PDB file of all heavy atoms in Angstrom:
ATOM      1  N   ASP A 341      58.635  85.852 116.841  1.00  0.00           N
ATOM      2  CA  ASP A 341      60.023  85.721 116.624  1.00  0.00           C
ATOM      3  C   ASP A 341      60.779  87.020 117.129  1.00  0.00           C
ATOM      4  O   ASP A 341      61.800  86.923 117.793  1.00  0.00           O
ATOM      5  CB  ASP A 341      60.405  85.507 115.102  1.00  0.00           C
ATOM      6  CG  ASP A 341      60.071  84.103 114.659  1.00  0.00           C
ATOM      7  OD1 ASP A 341      60.018  83.246 115.426  1.00  0.00           O
ATOM      8  OD2 ASP A 341      59.916  83.929 113.442  1.00  0.00           O
ATOM      9  N   TYR A 347      63.555  89.282 123.895  1.00  0.00           N
ATOM     10  CA  TYR A 347      63.693  88.631 125.187  1.00  0.00           C
ATOM     11  C   TYR A 347      65.087  88.063 125.269  1.00  0.00           C
ATOM     12  O   TYR A 347      65.800  88.199 126.317  1.00  0.00           O
ATOM     13  CB  TYR A 347      62.665  87.491 125.266  1.00  0.00           C
ATOM     14  CG  TYR A 347      63.002  86.432 126.251  1.00  0.00           C
ATOM     15  CD1 TYR A 347      62.676  86.586 127.561  1.00  0.00           C
ATOM     16  CD2 TYR A 347      63.639  85.227 125.845  1.00  0.00           C
ATOM     17  CE1 TYR A 347      63.011  85.601 128.503  1.00  0.00           C
ATOM     18  CE2 TYR A 347      63.956  84.217 126.705  1.00  0.00           C
ATOM     19  CZ  TYR A 347      63.704  84.394 128.085  1.00  0.00           C
ATOM     20  OH  TYR A 347      64.026  83.483 128.940  1.00  0.00           O
ATOM     21  N   MET A 348      65.592  87.412 124.188  1.00  0.00           N
ATOM     22  CA  MET A 348      66.883  86.841 124.135  1.00  0.00           C
ATOM     23  C   MET A 348      67.972  87.899 124.370  1.00  0.00           C
ATOM     24  O   MET A 348      68.859  87.793 125.214  1.00  0.00           O
ATOM     25  CB  MET A 348      67.032  86.119 122.867  1.00  0.00           C
ATOM     26  CG  MET A 348      68.461  85.444 122.630  1.00  0.00           C
ATOM     27  SD  MET A 348      68.921  84.216 123.743  1.00  0.00           S
ATOM     28  CE  MET A 348      67.836  82.846 123.254  1.00  0.00           C
ATOM     29  N   ARG A 356      75.526  88.468 130.715  1.00  0.00           N
ATOM     30  CA  ARG A 356      76.851  88.939 130.468  1.00  0.00           C
ATOM     31  C   ARG A 356      77.196  90.174 131.217  1.00  0.00           C
ATOM     32  O   ARG A 356      78.153  90.841 130.925  1.00  0.00           O
ATOM     33  CB  ARG A 356      76.956  89.166 128.967  1.00  0.00           C
ATOM     34  CG  ARG A 356      76.915  87.858 128.139  1.00  0.00           C
ATOM     35  CD  ARG A 356      76.781  88.211 126.635  1.00  0.00           C
ATOM     36  NE  ARG A 356      76.599  86.939 125.969  1.00  0.00           N
ATOM     37  CZ  ARG A 356      76.291  86.866 124.667  1.00  0.00           C
ATOM     38  NH1 ARG A 356      76.026  88.002 123.985  1.00  0.00           N
ATOM     39  NH2 ARG A 356      76.217  85.740 124.066  1.00  0.00           N
ATOM     40  N   ASP A 357      76.372  90.522 132.243  1.00  0.00           N
ATOM     41  CA  ASP A 357      76.667  91.689 133.060  1.00  0.00           C
ATOM     42  C   ASP A 357      76.748  92.946 132.321  1.00  0.00           C
ATOM     43  O   ASP A 357      77.620  93.884 132.696  1.00  0.00           O
ATOM     44  CB  ASP A 357      77.999  91.453 133.889  1.00  0.00           C
ATOM     45  CG  ASP A 357      77.721  90.523 135.036  1.00  0.00           C
ATOM     46  OD1 ASP A 357      76.614  90.490 135.577  1.00  0.00           O
ATOM     47  OD2 ASP A 357      78.670  89.719 135.379  1.00  0.00           O
ATOM     48  N   ASP A 368      73.211  87.686 118.391  1.00  0.00           N
ATOM     49  CA  ASP A 368      73.010  86.455 119.064  1.00  0.00           C
ATOM     50  C   ASP A 368      71.538  86.148 119.095  1.00  0.00           C
ATOM     51  O   ASP A 368      71.095  85.018 118.856  1.00  0.00           O
ATOM     52  CB  ASP A 368      73.470  86.429 120.514  1.00  0.00           C
ATOM     53  CG  ASP A 368      74.991  85.939 120.627  1.00  0.00           C
ATOM     54  OD1 ASP A 368      75.288  85.047 119.820  1.00  0.00           O
ATOM     55  OD2 ASP A 368      75.684  86.414 121.450  1.00  0.00           O
ATOM     56  N   ILE A 379      72.291  76.075 111.235  1.00  0.00           N
ATOM     57  CA  ILE A 379      72.980  77.210 110.625  1.00  0.00           C
ATOM     58  C   ILE A 379      73.848  76.671 109.565  1.00  0.00           C
ATOM     59  O   ILE A 379      74.806  75.835 109.800  1.00  0.00           O
ATOM     60  CB  ILE A 379      73.804  77.992 111.637  1.00  0.00           C
ATOM     61  CG1 ILE A 379      72.930  78.679 112.620  1.00  0.00           C
ATOM     62  CG2 ILE A 379      74.668  79.013 110.881  1.00  0.00           C
ATOM     63  CD1 ILE A 379      73.568  79.589 113.616  1.00  0.00           C
TER      64      ILE A 379
ATOM     65  N   LYS B  52      73.457  82.680 135.470  1.00  0.00           N
ATOM     66  CA  LYS B  52      74.882  82.889 135.512  1.00  0.00           C
ATOM     67  C   LYS B  52      75.674  81.681 136.054  1.00  0.00           C
ATOM     68  O   LYS B  52      76.735  81.344 135.577  1.00  0.00           O
ATOM     69  CB  LYS B  52      75.175  84.106 136.390  1.00  0.00           C
ATOM     70  CG  LYS B  52      75.157  85.466 135.630  1.00  0.00           C
ATOM     71  CD  LYS B  52      75.542  86.606 136.545  1.00  0.00           C
ATOM     72  CE  LYS B  52      75.149  87.824 135.819  1.00  0.00           C
ATOM     73  NZ  LYS B  52      75.218  88.984 136.692  1.00  0.00           N
ATOM     74  N   GLU B  86      75.279  80.410 126.320  1.00  0.00           N
ATOM     75  CA  GLU B  86      74.594  81.506 126.870  1.00  0.00           C
ATOM     76  C   GLU B  86      73.183  81.621 126.283  1.00  0.00           C
ATOM     77  O   GLU B  86      72.147  81.804 126.995  1.00  0.00           O
ATOM     78  CB  GLU B  86      75.384  82.789 126.721  1.00  0.00           C
ATOM     79  CG  GLU B  86      76.624  82.838 127.519  1.00  0.00           C
ATOM     80  CD  GLU B  86      77.448  84.078 127.278  1.00  0.00           C
ATOM     81  OE1 GLU B  86      77.366  84.665 126.193  1.00  0.00           O
ATOM     82  OE2 GLU B  86      78.303  84.410 128.069  1.00  0.00           O
ATOM     83  N   ARG B  87      73.164  81.527 124.935  1.00  0.00           N
ATOM     84  CA  ARG B  87      71.867  81.606 124.269  1.00  0.00           C
ATOM     85  C   ARG B  87      70.909  80.470 124.750  1.00  0.00           C
ATOM     86  O   ARG B  87      69.768  80.670 124.900  1.00  0.00           O
ATOM     87  CB  ARG B  87      72.085  81.605 122.782  1.00  0.00           C
ATOM     88  CG  ARG B  87      72.736  82.813 122.168  1.00  0.00           C
ATOM     89  CD  ARG B  87      72.478  82.888 120.777  1.00  0.00           C
ATOM     90  NE  ARG B  87      73.101  81.757 119.953  1.00  0.00           N
ATOM     91  CZ  ARG B  87      74.303  81.725 119.447  1.00  0.00           C
ATOM     92  NH1 ARG B  87      75.054  82.786 119.553  1.00  0.00           N
ATOM     93  NH2 ARG B  87      74.694  80.682 118.805  1.00  0.00           N
ATOM     94  N   GLY B  94      63.046  80.977 128.865  1.00  0.00           N
ATOM     95  CA  GLY B  94      61.934  81.616 128.223  1.00  0.00           C
ATOM     96  C   GLY B  94      60.836  80.530 127.858  1.00  0.00           C
ATOM     97  O   GLY B  94      60.844  79.487 128.433  1.00  0.00           O
ATOM     98  N   ARG B  96      60.257  79.193 124.786  1.00  0.00           N
ATOM     99  CA  ARG B  96      60.477  78.307 123.568  1.00  0.00           C
ATOM    100  C   ARG B  96      61.384  77.212 123.994  1.00  0.00           C
ATOM    101  O   ARG B  96      62.274  77.373 124.934  1.00  0.00           O
ATOM    102  CB  ARG B  96      61.154  79.116 122.433  1.00  0.00           C
ATOM    103  CG  ARG B  96      60.203  79.941 121.663  1.00  0.00           C
ATOM    104  CD  ARG B  96      60.891  80.322 120.379  1.00  0.00           C
ATOM    105  NE  ARG B  96      60.031  81.423 119.768  1.00  0.00           N
ATOM    106  CZ  ARG B  96      60.240  81.804 118.535  1.00  0.00           C
ATOM    107  NH1 ARG B  96      61.269  81.307 117.780  1.00  0.00           N
ATOM    108  NH2 ARG B  96      59.517  82.757 118.019  1.00  0.00           N
ATOM    109  N   ARG B 236      58.818  76.370 114.819  1.00  0.00           N
ATOM    110  CA  ARG B 236      58.617  77.732 115.404  1.00  0.00           C
ATOM    111  C   ARG B 236      58.581  77.639 116.975  1.00  0.00           C
ATOM    112  O   ARG B 236      58.769  78.716 117.607  1.00  0.00           O
ATOM    113  CB  ARG B 236      57.239  78.229 114.931  1.00  0.00           C
ATOM    114  CG  ARG B 236      57.173  78.577 113.567  1.00  0.00           C
ATOM    115  CD  ARG B 236      56.391  79.944 113.247  1.00  0.00           C
ATOM    116  NE  ARG B 236      56.844  80.486 111.992  1.00  0.00           N
ATOM    117  CZ  ARG B 236      57.784  81.231 111.834  1.00  0.00           C
ATOM    118  NH1 ARG B 236      58.540  81.672 112.947  1.00  0.00           N
ATOM    119  NH2 ARG B 236      58.241  81.763 110.780  1.00  0.00           N
ATOM    120  N   THR B 242      72.989  75.522 116.470  1.00  0.00           N
ATOM    121  CA  THR B 242      73.818  74.540 115.786  1.00  0.00           C
ATOM    122  C   THR B 242      75.181  74.334 116.467  1.00  0.00           C
ATOM    123  O   THR B 242      75.903  75.284 116.651  1.00  0.00           O
ATOM    124  CB  THR B 242      74.087  75.101 114.348  1.00  0.00           C
ATOM    125  OG1 THR B 242      72.845  75.471 113.782  1.00  0.00           O
ATOM    126  CG2 THR B 242      74.732  74.024 113.505  1.00  0.00           C
TER     127      THR B 242
END
Side-chain angles (χ1 to χ4, degrees):
Chain A
D341 287 336
Y347 159 84
M348 176 64 68
R356 291 169 183 169
D357 284 328
D368 269 330
I379 294 185
Chain B
K52 271 185 198 168
E86 291 174 338
R87 291 196 298 267
R96 281 196 191 189
R236 291 220 156 274
T242 308

